[in-house]
Amino acid sequence: MIFVKNLHKYFGKLEVLKGIDCHIREKEVVVVIGPSGSGKSTFLRCLNKLEEPTSGEIIVDGIPLNSEVNVNAIRREVGMVFQRFNLFPHMTAIQNIILAQEVVRKTSKAEARKIGLELLDKVGLSDKADEYPDRLSGGQQQRVAIARALAMKPKIMLFDETTSALDPEMVGEVLAVMKDLAREGMTMVVVTHEMGFAREVGDRVIFMDEGIIMEEGEPNEVFAHPKNPRTQAFLSKIL
Amino acid sequence: MGLNWKAAIDSVPILNKAALLTLELTAGAVAIGLVIGLFMALARLSKKKLLRAGSIAYIDFFRGTPLLVQIFLVYFLVPKLLNWDTLPDNYQYIAGVLAMGLNSGAYIAEIFRAGIQSIDRGQSEAARSLGMTQGQALRYVILPQAFKRVIPPLGNEFIALLKDSSLLSIIAIQELFYSAKIIAGRTYQPIPMYIAAALYYLIMTQLIAQWVAYMERRLGKNDLR
């Protein structure tokens, strides 16, 4: 589903990604962990070209990410959920979900609204359709953001530390929605600090540090018997 | 201080008409300024070097030279550029509104640019990640939010523009200041006439300020931050 070959990314002189190779299969849930500054968010953001790779190749769903045309086509198929929600504050929850369907997918307003309400129901917020983001809690905003991404019927979902900006009591409600998605067979790449989630839901864990993939494997294996000393040090600090 | 207010009171109908003209000139200039301003702001933020350079040159020129000079320049330059042998009737109005519009376009461009740049980058990233093109993100996500934020500085600009329209008296446009000056000269009552003119300006700028405050409240009602 996603092929990444020798991906490098510089910010100015700083090399953030130092040659990433990775293959993500359909319906796979890949969890990316690592210390902050390890390049995991940058890696994720390269996958839908919110960051421009300095060199290397990325192929998503058979389409190489090289021209602007391809980028817009890819972004339709790849949903993304951000740490800071990024809901559109001048629109209600349902309007947030309708907008891109109408503008990008050319879905009729009635149909887009129907899809939106179904998705709000799915994330447990059917009573909040007409609320503005300011009136919603962080957890609720993040669930709307997930619904907004899902409305585009993406084949892949990217999650960029989606629970890091949340109060602790709201983390669970967002993770629950993500777990449901994983169970339904969505292809997911999840950057997170939630090790419980990684262990329970992840098919594979990727440990990144200093811009390279230090270790990857089956979650239980990586968590119980990390081979790389960096992984061992990282896990011993957080588990 | 024995002021004779008769001249001022007698001239109320003329001043009313002149004040209306001042409002019309300002409205025309605002309309031109908003269009130019939006275009120049987008050009300034564009990835294309040429557009950016053009926009910066435009803004530098119209912000860096006096409006008074620009009024004269436009007044004399336009007929030359268009090869007009005779000037159309009321040409000074066209030149006046155009000069003010071109000038305010530079200021409004900077206001719009600041407004667009003040919107969190995450907003355009979210829009782009949903597959919207840059234009769609701008139109549906960025500009509606930016517009709300630029209302207060836009209000300032409109008020400044209204006051600056008095400069158009220099090309014989019979707006408020021009009329007050003519009557003051004819009646030898400069002080009452200029006080009257000041009051007219004050009332008009207050009206704009009120309208801006109203717009701010109305558009801000869903924005608790």
Side-chain angles (χ1 to χ4, degrees), chain A residues 50-104:
Chain A
L50 283 181
E51 300 291 353
E52 185 83 20
T54 309
S55 67
E57 201 181 349
I58 301 175
I59 300 171
V60 177
D61 196 24
I63 306 174
L65 279 190
N66 43 25
S67 72
E68 185 69 9
V69 179
N70 285 357
V71 169
N72 286 332
I74 288 296
R75 283 179 177 152
R76 261 174 263 151
E77 312 301 333
V78 180
M80 184 157 194
V81 186
F82 301 86
Q83 182 175 0
R84 304 214 47 87
F85 329 136
N86 295 341
L87 289 182
F88 308 135
H90 58 302
M91 298 178 178
T92 61
I94 188 74
Q95 287 168 342
N96 260 278
I97 302 173
I98 289 174
L99 178 66
Q101 294 187 68
E102 266 194 295
V103 173
V104 180

Side-chain angles (χ1 to χ4, degrees), chain A residues 98-187:
Chain A
I98 289 174
L99 178 66
Q101 294 187 68
E102 266 194 295
V103 173
V104 180
R105 289 270 190 227
K106 312 290 177 204
T107 314
S108 74
K109 183 147 215 149
E111 175 70 11
R113 190 178 167 82
K114 195 175 136 245
I115 293 172
L117 289 173
E118 281 167 15
L119 285 167
L120 279 177
D121 189 45
K122 181 184 163 115
V123 299
L125 291 171
S126 40
D127 55 329
K128 301 290 185 192
D130 296 317
E131 292 285 4
Y132 282 88
D134 280 351
R135 305 280 301 256
L136 301 174
S137 73
Q140 291 169 336
Q141 286 191 52
Q142 195 59 295
R143 284 186 280 156
V144 174
I146 294 174
R148 178 176 71 177
L150 290 176
M152 300 303 286
K153 306 209 185 320
K155 296 175 178 158
I156 301 162
M157 284 285 282
L158 308 176
F159 292 87
D160 188 5
E161 301 200 24
T162 35
T163 56
S164 301
L166 294 176
D167 291 339
E169 78 267 25
M170 294 170 184
V171 170
E173 63 193 61
V174 172
L175 289 181
V177 171
M178 291 165 64
K179 278 177 202 168
D180 283 346
L181 267 184
R183 212 168 296 134
E184 289 163 17
M186 177 66 78
T187 308

Side-chain angles (χ1 to χ4, degrees), chain A residues 23-30 186-188 203-204:
Chain A
H23 172 208
I24 292 157
R25 280 172 285 273
E26 201 173 337
K27 299 199 172 185
E28 195 178 20
V29 178
V30 174
M186 177 66 78
T187 308
M188 291 164 62
D203 296 313
R204 181 153 50 114

Side-chain angles (χ1 to χ4, degrees), chain B residues 109-139:
Chain B
E110 287 294 87
I111 292 172
F112 278 153
R113 177 174 71 93
I116 291 169
Q117 284 182 324
S118 78
I119 303 301
D120 188 76
R121 230 170 65 113
Q123 290 290 308
S124 95
E125 285 184 352
R128 299 303 305 276
S129 80
L130 290 165
M132 288 188 222
T133 64
Q134 216 171 1
Q136 290 168 336
L138 204 61
R139 176 166 160 211

Side-chain angles (χ1 to χ4, degrees), chain A residues 41-53:
Chain A
S41 278
T42 307
F43 167 60
L44 196 70
R45 291 161 58 86
C46 282
L47 296 183
N48 67 349
K49 239 187 173 189
L50 283 181
E51 300 291 353
E52 185 83 20

